[in-house]
Amino acid sequence: MPSLRASFLARLLLLALLVPVCAQATARVETPRVRAELLAYAPEGVAAGKPVWLGLQLQHQPHWHTYWKNPGDSGLPTTLAWTLPAGASAGEIDWPAPRPLPFGPLVNYGYEDTVLLPVPLTLSEAPASGGLPVKLQADWLVCKEECIPESGEFDLLLPNGGVLDQHRAAFEAALAARPQALANASAEVRVEGDTLVATIAGLPATLAGSELRLLPETEGLIEHAQAIQQSWQDGRWQAQVPLSPQRSASPERLPMVLLAGDSAFRVEAPVSGWKALGTASAAAPAPAPAPGAAPPTGIGFAAGLLLALAGGALLNLMPCVFPILSLKVLGFARHAGARRELAVGGFAYTAGVILSFLALAGALIALRAGGEQLGWGFQLQEPVFVAALALLFTLIGLNLAGVFELRTLLPGSAAGWQLQHPAADAFLTGVLAVAVASPCTAPFMGAALGFAFTLPGAQTLLIFAALGLGLALPYLLASLLPPVARAMPRPGAWMARLRTVMAFPMFATVLWLLWVLGVQAGVNGVIGLLGLLLAVSFAAWAWAQPGRSRWWLGTPAVALLAAALAWSLPGLRAQPAPAATTAGWETWSPERVAALRAAGQPVFVDFTAAWCVTCQVNKRTTLADAAVLEEFRRAGVALLRADWTSRDASITAALDGLGRSGVPVYALYPADAGTPQLLTELLSAGEIRSALANLK
């Protein structure tokens, strides 16, 4: 019988959480579509009180473009996150005037060719003698017919007091391209029904009689592709602009950019006449929520706790938790005749599960409060974390299969750790259970999580604690009930065979994680991880050899492992999510949903992810059923797939709007502005037919 069982390796999960993402930061990043470079301009020197500018220059390949602060009907603006020393602060992007970018029935606003996005840098004190270090994390969406999210990390060191004018022409051109502020202009904006009426006086006389284009700086406010009615009278320009039916804001003041040929002007005006959002459709009766729909605000905290407890218990039936069943079966078999050890292990396992859920919840709350668009299972959206889990499960599988024993790799004191601290070993098995279960969402669990994030922080943590208790409850009860202990077979030689058999669920989990990584990082990421797993396996086997063979084989094995790690890490970076290619399915976007519904077509959206095992089961069963697809076709329902395998802020926002924070989520949107029906996580053909019947 092994002195250390495989769950001891759960401690490696803590190391996996600390693996840094390695990326080389420079002043320039190049992709096949964009050449991005961080520039600086200090005409009077880098010193306190002097004008200093930073700027991200984007040079687009032909026909590619990025977006303005209001991207229009689709797209995302470029975002800049700065890391600066004390005494230095960066302002907002001083956006150059954009150009309209028509695409089919849509109109977007952004930049082609080369654009510099200037940012003012304020120095309240002199930089250190070694210079002023500047770090930038930039994210941009670059589009042609398709759109690809890209990012880059940039480093610059600005010399203390040094004059920087190498890029003077680029900065002067970018600053000259900003919309001109009109000091003598006066403007007022009012809402009349579904129209925004803007009246502006004091515009340059050279514009009189010209047709202007109005661009609000607020996103999602107007219909950009629809023509506006405009007129001139007594030097005053008036425009009637259609409001968007999906508008999500009612600003009290509206900054606007007016485009007139190659000129651009900026005015700001108060807005009057707003009606509450949703007023027009408030009288329409909302359809009854489908089973599993988001709970209403008045669900009550006690009911939320019960939903979380039930969802956590049902999580044990989800496929992603099956590997942990292997470890728990071994644990019960090992202590079948020792009721005290079973009870202590049950309580320790429960503590590990609950505290891990609380740690995940705390991290998620903190990141969301900091502006991150994250949801349940967010850690599986990071390729490095997926690779670390694959490494962990490979080692567990090799240990169960007898390739190595931890007592041969560790000092004697550490090798006896499990025998001295079985409760700590059970606790770490609970930690591992949460790491593996986190991609899954069970029935009732989605509603509980969506409700949890509407509550204050302390109550949110209690919901997650109830979820953890539900997951651990079957094992806790089994460890405390004497009939369960009496039903277990006594330890014997059969346990060695069972231990070997249990290695195969671990290797199956590694296959699943490799597939997830393939979706996130592509074939290069998978090949890199396979090489790393091979090197780790060889090192574990080599150091398990007896006598001097350990050193003859183990030393080159460690060198090989280091080389494999350096080779594989660059490939562990998320790539753009592939478009939906399954027959009959389109790639989801909020604009596509709005366009289809406006055209009178209902929409079914599959919010999914490669790391969500329940999602993949539903995709290959119910959602691949020819009869179900025919039902959708007869009902005239458009099928859209939202892939959340890698982080996607727009999908996170859509899930939040549905009262959910994880996947799977299945939403059936009626053709009108009615409330979408949410289906249960374990999808069935009968449930889909019932939901389609509710559309009629």
Side-chain angles (χ1 to χ4, degrees):
M1 185 185 305
S3 62
L4 288 173
R5 68 183 175 90
S7 63
F8 175 79
L9 288 170
R11 290 177 295 165
L12 293 178
L13 178 64
L14 303 179
L15 296 177
L17 292 172
L18 300 177
V19 174
V21 177
C22 294
Q24 184 178 5
T26 64
R28 182 182 303 164
V29 171
E30 293 193 38
T31 75
R33 295 152 292 274
V34 171
R35 180 179 184 270
E37 186 173 5
L38 178 60
L39 308 180
Y41 175 49
E44 300 178 25
V46 181
K50 300 296 184 181
V52 180
W53 289 87
L54 300 170
L56 181 68
Q57 185 180 71
L58 300 173
Q59 296 181 15
H60 307 88
Q61 289 296 321
H63 310 299
W64 290 89
H65 60 267
T66 52
Y67 293 94
W68 185 51
K69 64 189 303 182
N70 177 2
D73 287 323
S74 64
L76 291 170
T78 299
T79 59
L80 307 180
W82 302 92
T83 301
L84 300 167
S89 61
E92 299 297 323
I93 298 174
D94 209 344
W95 295 90
R99 296 293 100 190
L101 302 168
F103 184 78
L106 307 179
V107 172
N108 301 322
Y109 302 105
Y111 311 98
E112 297 177 314
D113 301 323
T114 299
V115 64
L116 175 64
L117 304 179
V119 173
L121 182 66
T122 301
L123 301 180
S124 59
E125 57 187 56
S129 57
L132 180 72
V134 175
K135 293 182 180 293
L136 170 64
Q137 169 66 46
D139 297 276
W140 59 89
L141 182 70
V142 58
C143 297
K144 192 169 61 173
E145 284 80 13
E146 67 273 21
C147 288
I148 299 175
E150 296 183 341
S151 62
E153 296 180 6
F154 304 83
D155 275 352
L156 270 185
L157 182 64
L158 306 185
N160 182 16
V163 172
L164 303 174
D165 61 359
Q166 178 183 359
H167 304 291
R168 175 190 296 270
F171 277 92
E172 289 182 348
L175 296 175
R178 296 175 298 179
Q180 301 177 37
L182 299 175
N184 298 322
S186 61
E188 61 179 29
V189 178
R190 66 184 185 276
V191 178
E192 296 181 356
D194 295 330
T195 303
L196 198 70
V197 180
T199 304
I200 304 175
L203 294 172
T206 54
L207 296 181
S210 302
E211 287 195 1
L212 309 181
R213 181 184 287 268
L214 186 147
L215 282 62
E217 293 186 2
T218 303
E219 292 186 52
L221 195 63
I222 68 170
E223 288 288 286
H224 298 280
Q226 290 191 20
I228 66 174
Q229 298 181 20
Q230 54 183 299
S231 62
W232 288 87
Q233 187 173 5
D234 299 328
R236 299 165 65 89
W237 180 74
Q238 186 176 86
Q240 299 180 34
V241 185
L243 286 170
S244 170
Q246 286 82 38
R247 71 175 177 90
S248 56
S250 302
E252 295 182 359
R253 294 191 64 82
L254 183 63
M256 301 169 286
V257 171
L258 302 177
L259 297 182
D262 293 331
S263 302
F265 306 90
R266 187 179 187 274
V267 295
E268 188 171 333
V271 186
S272 61
W274 287 120
K275 295 180 180 179
L277 288 172
T279 299
S281 58
T297 305
I299 184 177
F301 182 61
L305 287 174
L306 290 176
L307 279 175
L309 187 68
L314 290 173
L315 194 57
N316 287 283
L317 303 178
M318 298 295 104
C320 54
V321 187
F322 288 170
I324 300 304
L325 297 178
S326 305
L327 299 181
K328 295 310 297 176
V329 167
L330 283 175
F332 278 125
R334 184 177 179 186
H335 298 294
R339 287 186 55 190
R340 182 180 180 278
E341 285 79 0
L342 278 175
V344 170
F347 281 114
Y349 173 77
T350 302
V353 170
I354 292 177
L355 290 178
S356 297
F357 266 108
L358 291 176
L360 271 180
L364 192 52
I365 292 170
L367 290 169
R368 286 167 69 105
E372 295 287 343
Q373 295 291 318
L374 300 174
W376 181 243
F378 69 96
Q379 67 276 24
L380 269 295
Q381 294 175 329
E382 296 296 335
V384 170
F385 187 87
V386 173
L389 277 184
L391 176 63
L392 176 63
F393 276 98
T394 297
L395 289 172
I396 292 176
L398 292 173
N399 177 248
L400 290 171
V403 173
F404 71 93
E405 299 294 343
L406 287 179
R407 66 175 179 271
T408 65
L409 304 182
L410 301 175
S413 58
W417 178 86
Q418 186 205 15
L419 296 177
Q420 300 172 19
H421 305 285
D425 184 59
F427 176 89
L428 289 173
T429 304
V431 175
L432 184 62
V434 175
V436 179
S438 58
C440 286
T441 302
F444 305 116
M445 183 176 163
L449 290 176
F451 174 62
F453 287 113
T454 68
L455 300 173
Q459 291 181 313
T460 300
L461 292 176
L462 286 175
I463 293 287
F464 274 86
L467 189 62
L469 178 60
L471 176 62
L473 194 57
Y475 303 106
L476 179 61
L477 294 177
S479 67
L480 297 177
L481 296 176
V484 175
R486 288 195 296 268
M488 293 295 298
R490 295 299 173 231
W494 65 271
M495 289 182 61
R497 291 190 293 273
L498 176 63
R499 177 177 185 260
T500 303
V501 169
M502 292 305 179
F504 291 97
M506 303 301 157
F507 295 139
T509 302
V510 174
L511 284 178
W512 164 59
L513 291 168
L514 282 167
W515 177 68
V516 172
L517 184 68
V519 175
Q520 292 176 330
V523 66
N524 289 337
V526 172
I527 295 300
L529 179 57
L530 283 172
L532 180 61
L533 295 181
L534 179 62
V536 165
S537 302
F538 176 62
W541 171 82
W543 282 98
Q545 300 306 304
R548 299 177 65 181
S549 298
R550 169 185 299 190
W551 295 98
W552 284 105
L553 294 171
T555 302
V558 170
L560 177 64
L561 178 59
L565 183 64
W567 174 63
S568 63
L569 280 177
L572 300 180
R573 301 192 64 179
Q575 302 295 322
T581 56
T582 307
W585 291 86
E586 299 181 51
T587 300
W588 172 92
S589 71
E591 295 80 15
R592 183 59 177 155
V593 173
L596 288 167
R597 297 180 75 188
Q601 188 172 9
V603 179
F604 178 83
V605 181
D606 171 18
F607 292 92
T608 184
W611 40 259
C612 168
V613 181
T614 308
C615 302
Q616 303 311 315
V617 171
N618 288 332
K619 185 184 297 184
R620 285 161 175 73
T621 54
T622 303
L623 293 179
D625 188 309
V628 169
L629 295 175
E630 177 62 19
E631 295 273 357
F632 278 125
R633 189 193 65 78
R634 284 203 298 264
V637 176
L639 303 178
L640 271 61
R641 185 156 278 153
D643 192 333
W644 206 39
T645 301
S646 298
R647 191 174 300 178
D648 188 313
S650 59
I651 294 179
T652 307
L655 290 171
D656 287 344
L658 293 171
R660 294 292 189 265
S661 64
V663 290
V665 171
Y666 304 103
L668 181 59
Y669 295 80
D672 56 19
T675 304
Q677 300 180 57
L678 296 187
L679 282 62
T680 58
E681 289 83 357
L682 294 177
L683 204 56
S684 68
E687 183 181 10
I688 289 177
R689 292 188 183 97
S690 177
L692 292 175
N694 289 337
L695 288 176
K696 301 175 182 177

